[in-house]
Amino acid sequence: MASPLPVRDGVGATRLRVPSEGPWPTVGAFMAERFFHLDPERLLSRFDRGEIVAIDGSPLTRDTALGVHDFVWYYREPAIEKHIPFDVEILHQDEDLVVVDKPHFLPTTPGGKYLQNSALVRLRNALGIPELTPIHRLDRATAGVLMFSARPVTRGAYQLLFENRRVEKVYEAVSLLPEGWDPQAPALGGSAFPLVHRNHIEKLRGHVCVQVDPDREPNAETLVELLGFDDRVLHTVLRPHSGRMHQLRVHLAELGAGILHDTFYPELLPEQPDDFDRPLQLLARELRFTDPLTGDAREFRTRRTLQEAPAVAEE
């Protein structure tokens, strides 16, 4: 469903479904209860300014009755955001694709308390491409190669590459040496390198962490290779066959090698302010695929490194 409002300051309008009936006499009353954490009068004043509109772009009023519209559109009010002091670096740009090197701590898309401090909004504003859309996503905590579509007409062809698992994705991670590590016979979870780890991962509504169900058929698979180690840390290359949320973080944690500075796995830690000196040691290193438009081989590689990686690797 196309938005009747254009992208503004790099941010698209938000769509809200409105119930056809209920205890609210007006759309405004419903929204005031739906967004109970906001000052009701401040929210209702947005109707007075014509900032909440119907599917045809016509503004609603405070008195618009419930049941008249199924959806409304509005712009999120900018929050006071903490600046993420790291830049998005452009690795490649053509008329169809923009490929960037995303820093740690910067989300791919707006969400929660991050709006202008997201890779998507920063790029839309910097490049002047309001149609820019991510083709895949990286966690806010993960750095590395991230690809965007610049034209809606060719977007679907690139999205299908990811849906059909025709993109080779390569990551690097650094973990503390697991308990019982044997430098003469390197292994994780009792298996020598390279090893494949599989499980069933599910994201449940209302849960911050994903859930692992050992009784269900695996839907997540990762090839883990040894890149190096020293007397403190382990450096691995990860090649996911699937793309489940938090997959790599969960798989290494299950193998006894949770990623350094991970506050979610294997244990969810209390929320703390970002510590920019301790980024998650996970990096999206490479993307490879055959371009669906030209048939050419494409390869993009990060210029970033993991700060905790062993200076001199031993293998």
Side-chain angles (χ1 to χ4, degrees), residues 233-256:
V233 297
L234 172 69
H235 196 183
T236 52
V237 172
L238 310 170
R239 302 179 189 272
H241 179 64
S242 49
R244 299 291 171 180
M245 181 177 179
H246 294 173
Q247 174 177 322
L248 303 179
R249 298 163 72 170
V250 170
H251 281 183
L252 281 180
E254 283 198 331
L255 290 167

PDB file of all heavy atoms in Angstrom, residues 233-256:
ATOM      1  N   VAL A 233      41.925 -15.187  22.471  1.00  0.00           N
ATOM      2  CA  VAL A 233      40.705 -15.146  21.664  1.00  0.00           C
ATOM      3  C   VAL A 233      40.774 -16.112  20.484  1.00  0.00           C
ATOM      4  O   VAL A 233      41.845 -16.558  20.061  1.00  0.00           O
ATOM      5  CB  VAL A 233      40.433 -13.722  21.131  1.00  0.00           C
ATOM      6  CG1 VAL A 233      40.201 -12.746  22.276  1.00  0.00           C
ATOM      7  CG2 VAL A 233      41.559 -13.247  20.227  1.00  0.00           C
ATOM      8  N   LEU A 234      39.576 -16.354  19.967  1.00  0.00           N
ATOM      9  CA  LEU A 234      39.373 -17.220  18.811  1.00  0.00           C
ATOM     10  C   LEU A 234      38.780 -16.385  17.684  1.00  0.00           C
ATOM     11  O   LEU A 234      37.840 -15.607  17.892  1.00  0.00           O
ATOM     12  CB  LEU A 234      38.405 -18.346  19.198  1.00  0.00           C
ATOM     13  CG  LEU A 234      37.895 -19.261  18.093  1.00  0.00           C
ATOM     14  CD1 LEU A 234      39.024 -20.137  17.575  1.00  0.00           C
ATOM     15  CD2 LEU A 234      36.750 -20.127  18.632  1.00  0.00           C
ATOM     16  N   HIS A 235      39.323 -16.514  16.480  1.00  0.00           N
ATOM     17  CA  HIS A 235      38.888 -15.736  15.315  1.00  0.00           C
ATOM     18  C   HIS A 235      38.309 -16.715  14.290  1.00  0.00           C
ATOM     19  O   HIS A 235      39.002 -17.613  13.814  1.00  0.00           O
ATOM     20  CB  HIS A 235      40.095 -14.997  14.721  1.00  0.00           C
ATOM     21  CG  HIS A 235      39.754 -13.899  13.780  1.00  0.00           C
ATOM     22  ND1 HIS A 235      40.717 -13.171  13.115  1.00  0.00           N
ATOM     23  CD2 HIS A 235      38.559 -13.380  13.366  1.00  0.00           C
ATOM     24  CE1 HIS A 235      40.152 -12.275  12.354  1.00  0.00           C
ATOM     25  NE2 HIS A 235      38.831 -12.382  12.481  1.00  0.00           N
ATOM     26  N   THR A 236      37.011 -16.555  13.973  1.00  0.00           N
ATOM     27  CA  THR A 236      36.345 -17.493  13.072  1.00  0.00           C
ATOM     28  C   THR A 236      35.756 -16.785  11.862  1.00  0.00           C
ATOM     29  O   THR A 236      35.447 -15.587  11.896  1.00  0.00           O
ATOM     30  CB  THR A 236      35.221 -18.249  13.792  1.00  0.00           C
ATOM     31  OG1 THR A 236      34.348 -17.304  14.444  1.00  0.00           O
ATOM     32  CG2 THR A 236      35.788 -19.220  14.816  1.00  0.00           C
ATOM     33  N   VAL A 237      35.578 -17.564  10.794  1.00  0.00           N
ATOM     34  CA  VAL A 237      34.842 -17.139   9.612  1.00  0.00           C
ATOM     35  C   VAL A 237      33.519 -17.892   9.614  1.00  0.00           C
ATOM     36  O   VAL A 237      33.484 -19.105   9.840  1.00  0.00           O
ATOM     37  CB  VAL A 237      35.623 -17.443   8.321  1.00  0.00           C
ATOM     38  CG1 VAL A 237      34.757 -17.182   7.096  1.00  0.00           C
ATOM     39  CG2 VAL A 237      36.891 -16.607   8.257  1.00  0.00           C
ATOM     40  N   LEU A 238      32.429 -17.156   9.363  1.00  0.00           N
ATOM     41  CA  LEU A 238      31.091 -17.736   9.432  1.00  0.00           C
ATOM     42  C   LEU A 238      30.412 -17.581   8.075  1.00  0.00           C
ATOM     43  O   LEU A 238      30.375 -16.487   7.508  1.00  0.00           O
ATOM     44  CB  LEU A 238      30.267 -17.023  10.505  1.00  0.00           C
ATOM     45  CG  LEU A 238      30.947 -16.887  11.880  1.00  0.00           C
ATOM     46  CD1 LEU A 238      30.142 -15.961  12.776  1.00  0.00           C
ATOM     47  CD2 LEU A 238      31.110 -18.248  12.526  1.00  0.00           C
ATOM     48  N   ARG A 239      29.875 -18.689   7.593  1.00  0.00           N
ATOM     49  CA  ARG A 239      29.185 -18.677   6.303  1.00  0.00           C
ATOM     50  C   ARG A 239      27.763 -19.194   6.518  1.00  0.00           C
ATOM     51  O   ARG A 239      27.520 -20.403   6.479  1.00  0.00           O
ATOM     52  CB  ARG A 239      29.935 -19.544   5.283  1.00  0.00           C
ATOM     53  CG  ARG A 239      31.383 -19.102   5.052  1.00  0.00           C
ATOM     54  CD  ARG A 239      32.105 -19.994   4.056  1.00  0.00           C
ATOM     55  NE  ARG A 239      33.522 -19.709   3.995  1.00  0.00           N
ATOM     56  CZ  ARG A 239      34.076 -18.795   3.188  1.00  0.00           C
ATOM     57  NH1 ARG A 239      33.312 -18.098   2.366  1.00  0.00           N
ATOM     58  NH2 ARG A 239      35.381 -18.591   3.204  1.00  0.00           N
ATOM     59  N   PRO A 240      26.811 -18.284   6.762  1.00  0.00           N
ATOM     60  CA  PRO A 240      25.432 -18.721   7.009  1.00  0.00           C
ATOM     61  C   PRO A 240      24.751 -19.196   5.733  1.00  0.00           C
ATOM     62  O   PRO A 240      24.839 -18.541   4.693  1.00  0.00           O
ATOM     63  CB  PRO A 240      24.760 -17.464   7.559  1.00  0.00           C
ATOM     64  CG  PRO A 240      25.554 -16.335   6.971  1.00  0.00           C
ATOM     65  CD  PRO A 240      26.972 -16.823   6.877  1.00  0.00           C
ATOM     66  N   HIS A 241      24.069 -20.332   5.845  1.00  0.00           N
ATOM     67  CA  HIS A 241      23.280 -20.823   4.711  1.00  0.00           C
ATOM     68  C   HIS A 241      21.873 -20.233   4.761  1.00  0.00           C
ATOM     69  O   HIS A 241      21.205 -20.133   3.739  1.00  0.00           O
ATOM     70  CB  HIS A 241      23.213 -22.350   4.745  1.00  0.00           C
ATOM     71  CG  HIS A 241      22.398 -22.946   3.638  1.00  0.00           C
ATOM     72  ND1 HIS A 241      22.760 -22.825   2.314  1.00  0.00           N
ATOM     73  CD2 HIS A 241      21.223 -23.636   3.655  1.00  0.00           C
ATOM     74  CE1 HIS A 241      21.855 -23.434   1.555  1.00  0.00           C
ATOM     75  NE2 HIS A 241      20.913 -23.924   2.343  1.00  0.00           N
ATOM     76  N   SER A 242      21.449 -19.859   5.955  1.00  0.00           N
ATOM     77  CA  SER A 242      20.142 -19.237   6.153  1.00  0.00           C
ATOM     78  C   SER A 242      20.361 -17.858   6.766  1.00  0.00           C
ATOM     79  O   SER A 242      21.489 -17.481   7.050  1.00  0.00           O
ATOM     80  CB  SER A 242      19.264 -20.116   7.057  1.00  0.00           C
ATOM     81  OG  SER A 242      19.984 -20.489   8.225  1.00  0.00           O
ATOM     82  N   GLY A 243      19.286 -17.133   6.986  1.00  0.00           N
ATOM     83  CA  GLY A 243      19.428 -15.770   7.482  1.00  0.00           C
ATOM     84  C   GLY A 243      18.493 -15.459   8.624  1.00  0.00           C
ATOM     85  O   GLY A 243      17.791 -14.444   8.602  1.00  0.00           O
ATOM     86  N   ARG A 244      18.447 -16.312   9.635  1.00  0.00           N
ATOM     87  CA  ARG A 244      17.578 -16.084  10.777  1.00  0.00           C
ATOM     88  C   ARG A 244      18.117 -14.966  11.673  1.00  0.00           C
ATOM     89  O   ARG A 244      19.333 -14.746  11.748  1.00  0.00           O
ATOM     90  CB  ARG A 244      17.447 -17.366  11.601  1.00  0.00           C
ATOM     91  CG  ARG A 244      16.847 -18.523  10.835  1.00  0.00           C
ATOM     92  CD  ARG A 244      15.387 -18.272  10.528  1.00  0.00           C
ATOM     93  NE  ARG A 244      14.873 -19.280   9.608  1.00  0.00           N
ATOM     94  CZ  ARG A 244      13.621 -19.312   9.165  1.00  0.00           C
ATOM     95  NH1 ARG A 244      12.775 -18.385   9.552  1.00  0.00           N
ATOM     96  NH2 ARG A 244      13.229 -20.259   8.338  1.00  0.00           N
ATOM     97  N   MET A 245      17.213 -14.307  12.355  1.00  0.00           N
ATOM     98  CA  MET A 245      17.592 -13.226  13.257  1.00  0.00           C
ATOM     99  C   MET A 245      18.566 -13.735  14.311  1.00  0.00           C
ATOM    100  O   MET A 245      18.338 -14.770  14.938  1.00  0.00           O
ATOM    101  CB  MET A 245      16.336 -12.652  13.923  1.00  0.00           C
ATOM    102  CG  MET A 245      16.604 -11.502  14.866  1.00  0.00           C
ATOM    103  SD  MET A 245      15.050 -10.834  15.529  1.00  0.00           S
ATOM    104  CE  MET A 245      15.698  -9.558  16.606  1.00  0.00           C
ATOM    105  N   HIS A 246      19.669 -13.021  14.503  1.00  0.00           N
ATOM    106  CA  HIS A 246      20.689 -13.329  15.522  1.00  0.00           C
ATOM    107  C   HIS A 246      21.318 -14.718  15.336  1.00  0.00           C
ATOM    108  O   HIS A 246      21.922 -15.247  16.265  1.00  0.00           O
ATOM    109  CB  HIS A 246      20.096 -13.238  16.935  1.00  0.00           C
ATOM    110  CG  HIS A 246      19.678 -11.860  17.322  1.00  0.00           C
ATOM    111  ND1 HIS A 246      19.000 -11.590  18.495  1.00  0.00           N
ATOM    112  CD2 HIS A 246      19.835 -10.656  16.707  1.00  0.00           C
ATOM    113  CE1 HIS A 246      18.751 -10.294  18.581  1.00  0.00           C
ATOM    114  NE2 HIS A 246      19.248  -9.709  17.512  1.00  0.00           N
ATOM    115  N   GLN A 247      21.207 -15.258  14.135  1.00  0.00           N
ATOM    116  CA  GLN A 247      21.660 -16.633  13.905  1.00  0.00           C
ATOM    117  C   GLN A 247      23.109 -16.868  14.300  1.00  0.00           C
ATOM    118  O   GLN A 247      23.431 -17.831  15.004  1.00  0.00           O
ATOM    119  CB  GLN A 247      21.459 -16.989  12.430  1.00  0.00           C
ATOM    120  CG  GLN A 247      22.023 -18.355  12.028  1.00  0.00           C
ATOM    121  CD  GLN A 247      21.745 -18.691  10.589  1.00  0.00           C
ATOM    122  OE1 GLN A 247      20.665 -18.383  10.082  1.00  0.00           O
ATOM    123  NE2 GLN A 247      22.696 -19.309   9.909  1.00  0.00           N
ATOM    124  N   LEU A 248      24.006 -16.018  13.839  1.00  0.00           N
ATOM    125  CA  LEU A 248      25.433 -16.243  14.092  1.00  0.00           C
ATOM    126  C   LEU A 248      25.759 -16.098  15.570  1.00  0.00           C
ATOM    127  O   LEU A 248      26.580 -16.848  16.114  1.00  0.00           O
ATOM    128  CB  LEU A 248      26.265 -15.276  13.253  1.00  0.00           C
ATOM    129  CG  LEU A 248      26.008 -15.340  11.740  1.00  0.00           C
ATOM    130  CD1 LEU A 248      26.878 -14.326  11.010  1.00  0.00           C
ATOM    131  CD2 LEU A 248      26.263 -16.739  11.200  1.00  0.00           C
ATOM    132  N   ARG A 249      25.127 -15.154  16.226  1.00  0.00           N
ATOM    133  CA  ARG A 249      25.359 -14.945  17.653  1.00  0.00           C
ATOM    134  C   ARG A 249      24.886 -16.159  18.451  1.00  0.00           C
ATOM    135  O   ARG A 249      25.559 -16.610  19.391  1.00  0.00           O
ATOM    136  CB  ARG A 249      24.641 -13.668  18.096  1.00  0.00           C
ATOM    137  CG  ARG A 249      25.168 -12.430  17.372  1.00  0.00           C
ATOM    138  CD  ARG A 249      24.240 -11.235  17.454  1.00  0.00           C
ATOM    139  NE  ARG A 249      24.221 -10.662  18.799  1.00  0.00           N
ATOM    140  CZ  ARG A 249      23.628  -9.500  19.072  1.00  0.00           C
ATOM    141  NH1 ARG A 249      23.036  -8.801  18.113  1.00  0.00           N
ATOM    142  NH2 ARG A 249      23.636  -9.023  20.296  1.00  0.00           N
ATOM    143  N   VAL A 250      23.734 -16.690  18.078  1.00  0.00           N
ATOM    144  CA  VAL A 250      23.186 -17.865  18.767  1.00  0.00           C
ATOM    145  C   VAL A 250      24.050 -19.099  18.513  1.00  0.00           C
ATOM    146  O   VAL A 250      24.353 -19.865  19.440  1.00  0.00           O
ATOM    147  CB  VAL A 250      21.737 -18.119  18.310  1.00  0.00           C
ATOM    148  CG1 VAL A 250      21.230 -19.468  18.807  1.00  0.00           C
ATOM    149  CG2 VAL A 250      20.824 -17.006  18.807  1.00  0.00           C
ATOM    150  N   HIS A 251      24.467 -19.299  17.268  1.00  0.00           N
ATOM    151  CA  HIS A 251      25.230 -20.505  16.942  1.00  0.00           C
ATOM    152  C   HIS A 251      26.575 -20.539  17.660  1.00  0.00           C
ATOM    153  O   HIS A 251      26.967 -21.571  18.218  1.00  0.00           O
ATOM    154  CB  HIS A 251      25.402 -20.608  15.429  1.00  0.00           C
ATOM    155  CG  HIS A 251      24.182 -21.117  14.740  1.00  0.00           C
ATOM    156  ND1 HIS A 251      24.113 -21.353  13.385  1.00  0.00           N
ATOM    157  CD2 HIS A 251      22.949 -21.449  15.229  1.00  0.00           C
ATOM    158  CE1 HIS A 251      22.912 -21.807  13.074  1.00  0.00           C
ATOM    159  NE2 HIS A 251      22.194 -21.860  14.175  1.00  0.00           N
ATOM    160  N   LEU A 252      27.300 -19.425  17.675  1.00  0.00           N
ATOM    161  CA  LEU A 252      28.574 -19.437  18.378  1.00  0.00           C
ATOM    162  C   LEU A 252      28.370 -19.593  19.885  1.00  0.00           C
ATOM    163  O   LEU A 252      29.152 -20.275  20.559  1.00  0.00           O
ATOM    164  CB  LEU A 252      29.362 -18.172  18.069  1.00  0.00           C
ATOM    165  CG  LEU A 252      30.091 -18.168  16.718  1.00  0.00           C
ATOM    166  CD1 LEU A 252      30.850 -16.868  16.523  1.00  0.00           C
ATOM    167  CD2 LEU A 252      31.042 -19.350  16.581  1.00  0.00           C
ATOM    168  N   ALA A 253      27.327 -18.988  20.427  1.00  0.00           N
ATOM    169  CA  ALA A 253      27.057 -19.148  21.858  1.00  0.00           C
ATOM    170  C   ALA A 253      26.757 -20.608  22.189  1.00  0.00           C
ATOM    171  O   ALA A 253      27.228 -21.136  23.202  1.00  0.00           O
ATOM    172  CB  ALA A 253      25.892 -18.253  22.272  1.00  0.00           C
ATOM    173  N   GLU A 254      25.997 -21.283  21.340  1.00  0.00           N
ATOM    174  CA  GLU A 254      25.689 -22.694  21.581  1.00  0.00           C
ATOM    175  C   GLU A 254      26.930 -23.569  21.501  1.00  0.00           C
ATOM    176  O   GLU A 254      27.030 -24.601  22.175  1.00  0.00           O
ATOM    177  CB  GLU A 254      24.647 -23.196  20.569  1.00  0.00           C
ATOM    178  CG  GLU A 254      23.236 -22.744  20.873  1.00  0.00           C
ATOM    179  CD  GLU A 254      22.214 -23.586  20.138  1.00  0.00           C
ATOM    180  OE1 GLU A 254      22.532 -24.107  19.046  1.00  0.00           O
ATOM    181  OE2 GLU A 254      21.090 -23.737  20.652  1.00  0.00           O
ATOM    182  N   LEU A 255      27.893 -23.142  20.687  1.00  0.00           N
ATOM    183  CA  LEU A 255      29.137 -23.904  20.544  1.00  0.00           C
ATOM    184  C   LEU A 255      30.147 -23.574  21.645  1.00  0.00           C
ATOM    185  O   LEU A 255      31.274 -24.073  21.621  1.00  0.00           O
ATOM    186  CB  LEU A 255      29.749 -23.622  19.168  1.00  0.00           C
ATOM    187  CG  LEU A 255      28.977 -24.204  17.977  1.00  0.00           C
ATOM    188  CD1 LEU A 255      29.480 -23.598  16.664  1.00  0.00           C
ATOM    189  CD2 LEU A 255      29.115 -25.729  17.941  1.00  0.00           C
ATOM    190  N   GLY A 256      29.765 -22.727  22.591  1.00  0.00           N
ATOM    191  CA  GLY A 256      30.650 -22.382  23.696  1.00  0.00           C
ATOM    192  C   GLY A 256      31.631 -21.273  23.387  1.00  0.00           C
ATOM    193  O   GLY A 256      32.609 -21.098  24.104  1.00  0.00           O
TER     194      GLY A 256
END
